[in-house]
Each structure stands twice: as C-alpha cells, then as structure tokens.
Amino acid sequence: MGRYTSLPTLNFDFIKPGRMSFDSKGAGLEGGRNGLGESVTIETTGGGVFVATFENCYAQAPEEHEYLNWVAARMNGSFRFMNVPVVSDWMGPFPFLDRVTPQPIISGIPHSDGALFSDDSGYSQATVFGTIGADAPLNAGQITLNIFGATRNLRWSDWFSILHPTKGWRIYRYWEASDPVDVTVVVEGVSVSGSQYVLSLERPLREAVTSGDRVEFARPRCVCKFPVGFTLPWDAQGFMRSSPTFQFVEAF
C-alpha cells in the first residue's frame, strides 16, 4: 500500500483558472431493471472517486511557464501525485470580517511583538477548522465532527478534508447533518468552544480516524494524479500566452 503524505499542493492562485469543477464519479452501479423497466441503482463500496478540472488557466510570465512544465514533468504518466485544492471559499462557513466575501484564511499576522517578516509578510491561519469528535473505522459512512470559528450551522453540504496518516489528504462532503450541540475541547493545549455534528458522508472514510484528528474547511485538498491518458503539454500562443487545462483524479 502506498503512502501519500508530504506531497506538494497545486498552487491554485498561480494557475488562475477561468473555470473549475469538482465531483465524485462512479458512486453507483446499475443493478438491473424493475417491472416498470426502470434501472435499479446500487451504491459502490468506495462511494465514488474524486475528480477535479481546472480549465482555461492563464500563464504568460516566465515563472508561470516554468510552473506548468514542473507540474507536467511531475505528473505526466499518471504515476506521481500531488494535493489538489477545492476552492470552496465562497460557500464555506467562513466569517466575512472586513470583506464583502467570506474569508477562509487570515494573512498578515505579525509576531508576538507586532513585527512582520522582512518582506512585510506575516503568518496566516484558517478562520474555521475542525477536529474529529469520536473514533471511526475505515469505510465509515458517518463521523462525529467538531467545528470551530464557523459563522453558520453546517446545513446542506460543505467540502472538507482530513489528513490521514497513510492516505494523506482526502476530501469529503456530507449529505446529511445532525442538529449542532455545543462542545468545548482542548486543541493543541488550548481550550476552544464550537459545535459538534454527526455527518453522513458522500464517500466513506478512506482511512480510520481518531478523536482529535484535524479537519480542514479552508481550501480542503485531496491527493490526486492525472487521469490515465491525460498529459499536460507545454503550449503557447502569441506573446507566450498559455491557457492550459488540468485534469485530476483521486489517487489510490
């Protein structure tokens, strides 16, 4: 069994896609037809495979072309892996703070003495995060989740990811959420208060989880590879402008 940890993450902000899509494919099988001639669908054990596409990206600067060639050199052949983010910034349970759009990540955080780094940058951190509330085995279809910093209840569905010790980052979303209950737990030595939910997962757990495991809602990600037969060519138009498309499928 492969280990899928310590992998680089696709730089979404650098490739600047004009269109993106995220989905789970292969979640059901046709199980024959009933007396009315209608197809009877049954669920597959794995619950579908995550796929992602970034279309009509933009590259013109030399560094952007270098990055495209690096991704191609690493990923062509469909046998190496990288983390692919789901850009759910707009729909997540994030605070607005001083913006007109939800803010999943705060940047520019100074040192304890108020100073920034030499380039005037600071630290960054997610505005919302979660932890696993109870142990759950491999292929579990439900989890107990604690969430902190959310400005709304978990309701229809949200994307989130869990860093598994062997399978690495895996992406999940839920189709049903219980009513929240208040919870206070200690996370990395700090007592934090939030809400606890029982979530019914679209795809079962790729690896067992333990109470206290970190859950990410800000730019959640999944270990992926290129689909078999897909390659990323270096293609440029006039003035060295490139508009590549990236396709990814969950790695196993």
Side-chain angles (χ1 to χ4, degrees), residues 194-207:
S195 300
Q196 185 176 89
Y197 297 83
V198 176
L199 303 178
S200 298
L201 302 178
E202 175 198 27
R203 293 138 27 88
L205 287 176
R206 300 313 197 195
E207 191 171 348

Side-chain angles (χ1 to χ4, degrees), residues 32-202:
R33 297 186 179 274
N34 61 20
L36 298 176
E38 297 172 330
S39 174
V40 179
T41 303
I42 58 176
E43 181 185 13
T44 60
T45 302
V49 176
F50 172 74
V51 295
T53 301
F54 300 92
E55 300 179 38
N56 195 27
C57 299
Y58 181 87
Q60 189 169 38
E63 295 83 359
E64 294 168 340
H65 286 281
E66 292 174 35
Y67 187 75
L68 294 180
N69 277 280
W70 172 78
V71 173
R74 178 182 180 89
M75 304 296 287
N76 279 356
S78 304
F79 55 85
R80 297 190 185 99
F81 314 103
M82 69 189 311
N83 298 318
V84 174
V86 171
V87 188
S88 55
D89 302 9
W90 174 252
M91 58 168 282
F94 310 118
F96 284 79
L97 301 179
D98 58 346
R99 298 186 179 182
V100 296
T101 58
Q103 190 169 351
I105 298 171
I106 297 176
S107 58
I109 300 173
H111 297 280
S112 58
D113 61 358
L116 298 172
F117 292 105
S118 58
D119 61 355
D120 291 329
S121 65
Y123 298 98
S124 63
Q125 69 179 37
T127 56
V128 175
F129 73 98
T131 61
I132 296 296
D135 296 356
L138 168 69
N139 288 331
Q142 281 191 332
I143 60 168
T144 301
L145 181 140
N146 306 319
I147 187 169
F148 310 99
T151 54
R152 61 162 172 80
N153 290 345
L154 300 186
R155 45 196 186 194
W156 298 110
S157 190
D158 296 282
W159 292 96
F160 62 90
S161 59
I162 301 172
L163 179 57
H164 295 297
T166 300
K167 291 294 186 180
W169 286 109
R170 298 292 162 155
I171 197 85
Y172 301 97
R173 60 182 171 180
Y174 53 90
W175 57 270
E176 187 175 56
S178 68
D179 291 331
V181 296
D182 294 338
V183 65
T184 299
V185 299
V186 176
V187 180
E188 298 180 355
V190 179
S191 179
V192 291
S193 297
S195 300
Q196 185 176 89
Y197 297 83
V198 176
L199 303 178
S200 298
L201 302 178
E202 175 198 27

